[in-house]
Amino acid sequence: MAQSETTTTPVSPSVDMTHPQIMKALSGLMLGMFVAILSSTIVSNALPQIISDLGGTQSSYTWVVTAALLSMTAATPLWGKLSDLFSKKLLVQISLVIYVLGSVVAGMSQNTGTLIACRVVQGIGVGGLSALAQIVMAAMISPRERGRYSGYLGAVFAVATVGGPLLGGVITDTEWLGWRWCFYVGVPFAVIALVVLQKTLRLPVVRRDVKVDWLGAFLISAAVSLLLIWVTQAGDSYAWISWQTWAMTGGSVLLGLLFVLVESRASDPIIPLRLFRNKTITLASAASLFVGIAMFSGTVFFSQFFQLARGESPTMSGILTIPMIGGLFVSSTLSGQVITKTGRWKAWLVSGGVLLTAGMGLLGTLRHDTPYWHIAVYMAVMGLGLGMMMQNLVLATQNQVAPEDLGAASSVVTFFRSLGGAMGVSALGAVMAHRVTHYVQDGLTALGPKAAAMGSSGAAGGGIPDLDKLPAPIREVIESAYGHGVGDVFLYAAPFALLGLVLVVFIKEVALKSKPALHSPAAASQESSAAEVTDAAVKA
C-alpha cells in the first residue's frame, strides 16, 4: 500500500465530459475491441474445416480455443496492474499490435501445434484489450453513467460476435480465399484502430515509482496453465483417476497457495488480496467464473452443432446463431440505458441469471433433428441472460473500487470470467469428445460389424469427420452423435449457470456513484477513504 509515495500528473478538471466528447474518446477503443472480438469469433465457424485440413482431432479443436482463453486468463491481471502504472492508451495500442502479430502468423500455420501457439499470442493481446477497455471507460465515466456506455460496448461485442462467424463462414466457403484469410482480414481494421486511438483517446498518465509483481504473475499463470492442461488431457491421454491427475492438480493447488503467500507479502501485488474483503467483489468474481463457462461454451460448441450435427455450411452456421447474439445485443443495450436512468442494477443481474440458466437447460435438450425455431428460442433466452450479466457484473464491482486500485481490481472479474471460460471449454470439450465417441460407437454397432469397422477411423477415433465423404447411413449416425453430444454439453453446463444466479442473489445493491474513477487527486483521496477498497471488472 505504498500509494502515498505516488506522483500524479494533473488530472482533468472536475467538469464532466459531454456525451459527444466521451463517444469521440471511446471511438478508437471500441474499434480496437471490435477488431479483437471479430478476429476471435471469425474463426469459430471455420474451425471444423481448419482442424480437418490440418489433420487435427477433437482435442486439437478444443485446444485451439482453450489456448487463447488460457493466455488471456493468465495475462489479464498483469494488464490490469500495468494500467495502474503506465499509459493506458499506450498499453491498449501494444495489446492490439500483439494480437495482430499473432493473427498474421496463425494464418500461415501448417499444423495444429503452430496454430495453437499463435492462439496463445492472440490471447495475450485480447486479454489486454478486454481488460483495458473497461478500465479506460471507468477512468472517464461515473458508474451512474457507465451503464449507458457499457451497453454500447455490449453492442460492439454483439455486432462483432455475429459479424465474425458470418464473415468467417463466407471467407471459408469462398474458394479463392480459404480459411487462412480469417486471420488476415482483421489487420486493416487494426491499423485503423491504432490511428484512431492515437488521435481520439486522451487520458492523464499516472506515474508511480513501484515495481510490477512478476513473481505473482508467473505463479498465477503457472497454476492456471497446469490446471487447464490437466482438464484437457484427462480421460484421453490418461485416466481421470491416475498419478498424472494427482500430480497436476496437486501442483496447481501448491502454485495457487504460493501465489496467495507471495501476494500477501508483496508491496504492490498483482491482485491485492484485500479486495476480496469486499463481499460484492468476491461474489461477482465467483459469478463471473460461472458466466464464463456459459458464454464461451455457447460460442464454441454451436459451430460444431450446426456444421457436424445438421450439415450446414460455415456461412449458414453463423447466420443460424443470430438469435443468441440478438438477445445479447438487446439486453446489454437496454439494461445499460435503464440502469443509467434509474441507478438500479441488481434486478438485471438476477433476471439475467434466471434467463441464462433457463436457456442452458433448454439447450440441453438439443438433438440433431430438433426444430430450428426451438433452437432459436433457446439461444435467444441464453443471449438475453448473458447480456444482462456480463456488463453489469463489471459495473457492480467498479462501483465499489477505490481509484488507485481501478486497474488491478478491474482485472479480477475478467480474470475469473476468462478462467471459467477456459476451464469450461476444456472440460466440456473433453466431455463432448467422450460422449460423441460413445454415441458413434453405439450407432455404428446398431448398423452392423461392417459399418463399425468403416467408422472406427472417423469420429469414433477422435477425428473431425468430413460429412460429405461419408456414406448416408454413417453420416446420419455421426450427425446424431454430434447433436446429442452438444446437447449433453449444455446440460452439464446448466448447473454452473444456476450457481451464478445463486451468487448474484446475495450481492448487495449499492447506489451508483456520480463521479468517474479518474478525478482530481483530492477528490480521489476523499472517495477512496469513503468507499470500500475493492475491485472492478472487465469485459472480455
Side-chain angles (χ1 to χ4, degrees):
M1 300 196 33
Q3 313 293 354
S4 59
E5 297 178 3
T6 65
T7 58
T8 313
T9 58
V11 185
S12 1
S14 58
V15 178
D16 292 334
M17 297 171 67
T18 65
H19 176 65
Q21 289 173 327
I22 291 173
M23 290 305 297
K24 181 179 179 181
L26 289 180
S27 59
L29 191 65
M30 289 184 177
L31 186 56
M33 279 294 296
F34 179 80
V35 170
I37 297 165
L38 179 73
S39 298
S40 298
T41 60
I42 200 173
V43 181
S44 60
N45 284 329
L47 265 181
Q49 183 66 48
I50 293 172
I51 299 302
S52 178
D53 286 354
L54 296 181
T57 64
Q58 178 66 44
S59 178
S60 303
Y61 187 108
T62 302
W63 261 109
V64 169
V65 178
T66 304
L69 290 174
L70 170 59
S71 58
M72 181 175 117
T73 301
T76 294
L78 185 58
W79 283 112
K81 174 54 67 177
L82 290 174
S83 74
D84 283 337
L85 309 179
F86 305 109
S87 166
K88 296 175 178 62
K89 175 179 173 178
L90 178 60
L91 291 173
V92 171
Q93 293 173 312
I94 290 173
S95 61
L96 190 56
V97 169
I98 291 173
Y99 194 83
V100 169
L101 290 176
S103 297
V104 171
V105 180
M108 304 176 185
S109 300
Q110 299 300 314
N111 54 65
T112 56
T114 303
L115 179 59
I116 290 169
C118 292
R119 294 286 288 172
V120 170
V121 177
Q122 286 182 305
I124 294 172
V126 79
L129 288 166
S130 300
L132 293 164
Q134 290 287 349
I135 293 169
V136 168
M137 190 170 67
M140 296 189 298
I141 308 165
S142 70
R144 179 63 183 266
E145 290 292 321
R146 205 175 301 148
R148 176 184 187 182
Y149 298 98
S150 291
Y152 294 149
L153 277 183
V156 170
F157 179 89
V159 171
T161 302
V162 70
L166 284 173
L167 183 58
V170 171
I171 290 173
T172 303
D173 287 339
T174 303
E175 191 172 333
W176 54 275
L177 288 175
W179 59 261
R180 294 184 187 277
W181 277 93
C182 292
F183 296 100
Y184 301 145
V185 73
V187 175
F189 293 101
V191 174
I192 295 172
L194 284 169
V195 173
V196 174
L197 278 167
Q198 184 63 32
K199 291 182 174 296
T200 61
L201 188 58
R202 297 285 184 269
L203 285 175
V205 180
V206 177
R207 306 184 190 281
R208 297 192 289 157
D209 186 17
V210 293
K211 61 180 181 179
V212 178
D213 178 21
W214 295 110
L215 180 58
F218 168 77
L219 289 172
I220 191 65
S221 301
V224 171
S225 301
L226 190 58
L227 184 64
L228 292 182
I229 291 171
W230 165 69
V231 168
T232 306
Q233 299 297 327
D236 183 16
S237 300
Y238 46 81
W240 285 97
I241 305 298
S242 62
W243 70 265
Q244 292 96 331
T245 290
W246 293 114
M248 298 178 84
T249 55
S252 183
V253 170
L254 178 60
L255 288 167
L257 292 174
L258 286 173
F259 170 75
V260 172
L261 178 63
V262 168
E263 296 301 276
S264 65
R265 298 183 177 183
S267 59
D268 203 350
I270 193 168
I271 298 180
L273 299 181
R274 55 190 166 79
L275 297 176
F276 294 101
R277 296 173 190 166
N278 182 283
K279 185 179 177 182
T280 295
I281 293 177
T282 302
L283 290 172
S285 297
S288 291
L289 182 79
F290 300 123
V291 170
I293 294 175
M295 181 175 72
F296 289 104
S297 298
T299 56
V300 169
F301 295 112
F302 275 135
S303 62
Q304 283 192 303
F305 177 79
F306 286 117
Q307 291 182 54
L308 298 177
R310 297 177 79 94
E312 301 290 354
S313 69
T315 301
M316 279 305 299
S317 180
I319 293 173
L320 293 173
T321 57
I322 286 179
M324 182 183 74
I325 308 306
L328 192 155
F329 179 91
V330 170
S331 62
S332 64
T333 305
L334 179 63
S335 65
Q337 297 283 353
V338 175
I339 288 171
T340 294
K341 292 180 180 179
T342 65
R344 306 299 296 270
W345 46 265
K346 183 173 179 179
W348 292 99
L349 278 179
V350 175
S351 299
V354 171
L355 290 171
L356 182 59
T357 304
M360 298 291 282
L362 291 169
L363 287 166
T365 66
L366 284 185
R367 299 296 182 266
H368 78 288
D369 55 356
T370 301
Y372 176 70
W373 74 268
H374 288 185
I375 302 171
V377 171
Y378 302 162
M379 288 192 294
V381 172
M382 176 183 171
L384 287 169
L386 281 173
M388 292 179 190
M389 294 194 78
M390 285 194 315
Q391 296 294 340
N392 295 322
L393 283 170
V394 172
L395 181 64
T397 50
Q398 284 182 336
N399 187 48
Q400 302 254 326
V401 71
E404 65 270 18
D405 283 330
L406 181 64
S410 291
S411 65
V412 171
V413 174
T414 299
F415 170 80
F416 280 101
R417 186 167 64 216
S418 55
L419 175 62
M423 293 181 65
V425 170
S426 297
L428 294 173
V431 167
M432 181 173 165
H434 178 266
R435 299 305 295 163
V436 167
T437 300
H438 171 73
Y439 292 134
V440 168
Q441 289 174 342
D442 284 352
L444 293 177
T445 299
L447 292 178
K450 187 175 180 179
M454 289 176 64
S456 62
S457 61
I464 301 295
D466 186 341
L467 295 179
D468 294 333
K469 297 180 180 179
L470 296 176
I474 294 181
R475 173 171 177 156
E476 186 174 346
V477 168
I478 299 297
E479 289 179 340
S480 176
Y482 272 94
H484 204 160
V486 173
D488 287 350
V489 163
F490 284 111
L491 188 63
Y492 295 154
F496 295 105
L498 179 61
L499 286 173
L501 168 61
V502 172
L503 289 168
V504 299
V505 167
F506 289 98
I507 296 179
K508 182 180 178 181
E509 189 168 32
V510 177
L512 295 179
K513 299 173 186 176
S514 59
K515 295 292 183 182
L518 212 62
H519 238 346
S520 66
S525 175
Q526 292 172 3
E527 192 169 346
S528 64
S529 63
E532 278 188 82
V533 179
T534 181
D535 118 320
V538 181
K539 172 174 173 350

